[in-house]
Amino acid sequence: MKGETSGLSRRQILRRAGGFTAAALTGSLVLTQAGTATAAVAVSKRFDLTDPSDEWHREILLGETRILQSFGFDNTNKHLYTAQLVQADRMLPGETRAYTGTERSTNGDLCVTRLDWGGNIIGRMYLKGFGHGVSIGVEPSGNSAYLWTETDSVPDGTNTGFGTKVARFKFANGAVLQPDSAQVTRFTPAPGSTNNTVAVDPVNNRLVHRHRINGAFRYSLYDLAAFKTGTFTPLATIDQPAVLTGPTFQGYTSLGQYLYTLDGTAYTYTQDGTRTSEANSYVTSIDWNTGLVHERRLTKAGESLFYREPEGLAIQIPDPAAPSAARLHIGLGSEESLTQTDKKASFYYKDLLV
């Protein structure tokens, strides 16, 4: 089922009016005071956020029973990677007791599940002490992928662990990693920052680093290859727009000239199962060159889900030979009822570039 008003005829007319091409950096980086954008990112097409969302998968099971936190696509091998906090009472190799869900959240213990594009689980691994999993990036490599996540988790004032550094490691089915594991490469692009997370632009091979420093959230855009060498010279840096200060932040991604964010909260219910809230999930596009909001739209994708919580954004390229056919995916966590609370994941996408 489609969660938003149908508009297929308009989409068919406009969707392929022009292709999206990978944009090269042009001009030079101009350094300015904090509070302004610093960028020279080439002009590109953007997703039309009024475009109705199409369903890709509805309510599939992941590796844990807890809510989806974020996800990313391996567009080369057609794999989907999801991140969740480890569920209560899950005992991992080397552990001497079971931990509660609260303890897992405080420590920042994550489960990463690999699925094929049919929604079938084909592997999972665990990350102890990494963070909350607000966003992950995927870098294809051979028939597998390197994953980018937060790491070196530190609890905040609510005893929720968030990363203070950035990690890169290869997915390994069944592995249990810690921040200092030999398989993990750690980066510190913003010393002293908290709430570090990352996302990958798969068309332009760029990495986005979101972090909090001096009480404010910032985003920096990097060339992925340069970042891997430890060269932290951003192509663009912007402050988080004020419109995102109040809502519950739920994820982000980037394609070309635009950063995309997701915010909102889950439906609420009375004890008898009566829903007492409406969809309040917004997708926002932000220009890397100016730091200004270009478009902000309510999305009702998956509106008919019983429990519906927005959880992550990612870029899918169904055909790697045709990057103009990019999709902006919205992740949603859900549960079947007040008594059947094991969380499932749904994915909807927009694909109209203008």
Side-chain angles (χ1 to χ4, degrees):
M1 297 176 65
K2 188 182 296 295
E4 299 183 57
T5 304
S6 177
L8 294 179
S9 59
R10 174 175 175 266
R11 179 183 306 173
Q12 289 167 346
I13 293 170
L14 295 178
R15 179 185 295 152
R16 303 296 176 244
F20 182 94
T21 56
L25 177 67
T26 60
S28 59
L29 182 68
V30 179
L31 299 179
T32 63
Q33 293 181 347
T36 62
T38 62
V41 179
V43 173
S44 74
K45 292 184 179 293
R46 60 177 174 79
F47 287 105
D48 180 353
L49 301 185
T50 67
D51 178 36
S53 297
D54 291 324
E55 181 182 299
W56 189 54
H57 286 304
R58 183 181 174 93
E59 294 199 299
I60 59 175
L61 291 170
L62 304 179
E64 299 289 295
T65 61
R66 299 183 73 174
I67 196 79
L68 171 73
Q69 293 290 343
S70 60
F71 63 101
F73 291 100
D74 176 345
N75 294 300
T76 299
N77 297 298
K78 298 190 182 302
H79 293 157
L80 169 67
Y81 290 89
T82 65
Q84 302 164 273
L85 287 162
V86 177
Q87 67 191 47
D89 299 325
R90 169 83 72 192
M91 287 189 66
L92 301 177
E95 294 180 341
T96 57
R97 70 173 178 89
Y99 292 89
T100 66
T102 298
E103 288 175 313
R104 293 296 192 186
S105 298
T106 300
N107 196 51
D109 295 345
L110 299 172
C111 172
V112 174
T113 302
R114 181 165 67 182
L115 304 95
D116 62 26
W117 282 10
N120 304 297
I121 294 175
I122 54 175
R124 67 172 61 90
M125 66 185 300
Y126 291 90
L127 313 174
K128 296 180 63 175
F130 276 63
H132 197 63
V134 174
S135 181
I136 60 173
V138 181
E139 178 191 350
S141 176
N143 60 6
S144 187
Y146 282 92
L147 303 182
W148 291 85
T149 70
E150 62 196 286
T151 191
D152 289 63
S153 178
V154 173
D156 67 1
T158 65
N159 286 325
T160 300
F162 291 94
T164 57
K165 297 182 181 181
V166 172
R168 177 180 183 263
F169 53 90
K170 200 163 190 178
F171 179 84
N173 186 30
V176 179
L177 300 183
Q178 301 190 65
D180 60 357
S181 295
Q183 302 94 316
V184 179
T185 302
R186 288 181 285 179
F187 304 86
T188 311
S193 64
T194 61
N195 298 79
N196 283 245
T197 53
V198 284
V200 169
D201 174 344
V203 174
N204 298 279
N205 293 314
R206 294 172 180 161
L207 180 139
V208 185
H209 174 225
R210 180 179 186 257
H211 58 284
R212 188 174 189 175
I213 193 161
N214 297 325
F217 281 100
R218 306 202 83 192
Y219 301 80
S220 291
L221 181 68
Y222 295 92
D223 175 80
L224 179 60
F227 192 97
K228 286 192 291 186
T229 69
T231 301
F232 304 135
T233 303
L235 310 177
T237 295
I238 62 177
D239 291 331
Q240 181 162 282
V243 72
L244 300 180
T245 301
T248 301
F249 189 86
Q250 298 286 13
Y252 65 98
T253 193
S254 182
L255 185 65
Q257 184 186 349
Y258 295 92
L259 171 71
Y260 299 90
T261 66
L262 179 67
D263 61 80
T265 55
Y267 290 150
T268 55
Y269 289 86
T270 61
Q271 289 185 343
D272 65 1
T274 301
R275 199 173 86 190
T276 57
S277 63
E278 300 299 326
N280 64 358
S281 310
Y282 283 83
V283 180
T284 302
S285 58
I286 304 159
D287 190 330
W288 276 113
N289 285 315
T290 64
L292 298 177
V293 171
H294 185 88
E295 189 177 8
R296 178 172 169 80
R297 300 288 181 182
L298 176 71
T299 175
K300 294 186 178 181
E303 184 181 22
S304 63
L305 292 167
F306 173 77
Y307 175 99
R308 174 189 179 275
E309 184 172 2
E311 296 288 358
L313 293 176
I315 302 296
Q316 182 189 34
I317 311 296
D319 181 1
S324 62
R327 294 174 175 178
L328 175 64
H329 270 260
I330 301 165
L332 301 168
S334 66
E335 57 190 41
E336 293 183 20
S337 69
L338 293 179
T339 57
Q340 295 174 290
T341 59
D342 285 0
K343 301 301 188 293
K344 296 182 178 181
S346 300
F347 302 92
Y348 291 78
Y349 65 88
K350 299 179 182 293
D351 59 356
L352 176 56
L353 284 159
V354 294

